[in-house]
Amino acid sequence: MKKPAHSSPGFETNKTVRLGTDKAPAQLSVQTEERKQELIGVFEENGWASIITVDATQEENVRDLDILMARKETASATTTKQANRNDPCPCGSGKKYKKCCGQ
């Protein structure tokens, strides 16, 4: 039996989906329509995707927004050294440089 190519979908086991994208939108629950409009403005300003539901009987759940805001506030590492082909990519993706930014 022939082995499948490494580019087949079965080999992409380490692929992660980032919160706030179209594939993994942030899911929030608020109690009022005014609060929903306020949060929509925050998400549009930052370019994040979200699903916001209004339910007055449940307490407010904005945990995903807190995660996105904390990630936004962290400074990304910058370096002046050029990465070699097999070094980890300096952008922080966890991939090798030749597979990420070095293409």
Side-chain angles (χ1 to χ4, degrees):
M1 186 168 153
K2 199 173 182 183
K3 288 186 179 181
H6 287 291
S7 61
S8 69
F11 283 97
E12 295 180 17
T13 57
N14 293 335
K15 193 169 190 174
T16 58
V17 180
R18 301 192 89 188
L19 180 64
T21 60
D22 291 333
K23 290 185 178 181
Q27 296 186 359
L28 308 173
S29 174
V30 295
Q31 293 181 339
T32 63
E33 190 66 34
E34 293 82 23
R35 178 73 171 145
K36 178 180 178 180
Q37 295 303 321
E38 177 186 338
L39 293 176
I40 287 174
V42 171
F43 277 90
E44 287 178 354
E45 178 183 318
N46 291 301
W48 296 325
S50 66
I51 298 174
I52 303 173
T53 58
V54 178
D55 189 359
T57 61
Q58 294 181 352
E59 76 177 56
E60 187 170 282
N61 178 13
V62 291
R63 182 175 173 263
D64 288 349
L65 177 61
D66 295 337
I67 292 169
L68 289 170
M69 294 300 279
R71 183 174 50 179
K72 178 183 168 188
E73 292 172 0
T74 60
S76 61
T78 57
T79 181
T80 57
K81 178 186 164 194
Q82 180 68 26
N84 291 329
R85 287 179 44 86
N86 290 323
D87 289 343
C89 191
C91 73
S93 66
K95 297 180 181 179
K96 287 186 178 182
Y97 178 73
K98 67 182 177 183
K99 295 283 186 176
C100 187
C101 297
Q103 289 184 342

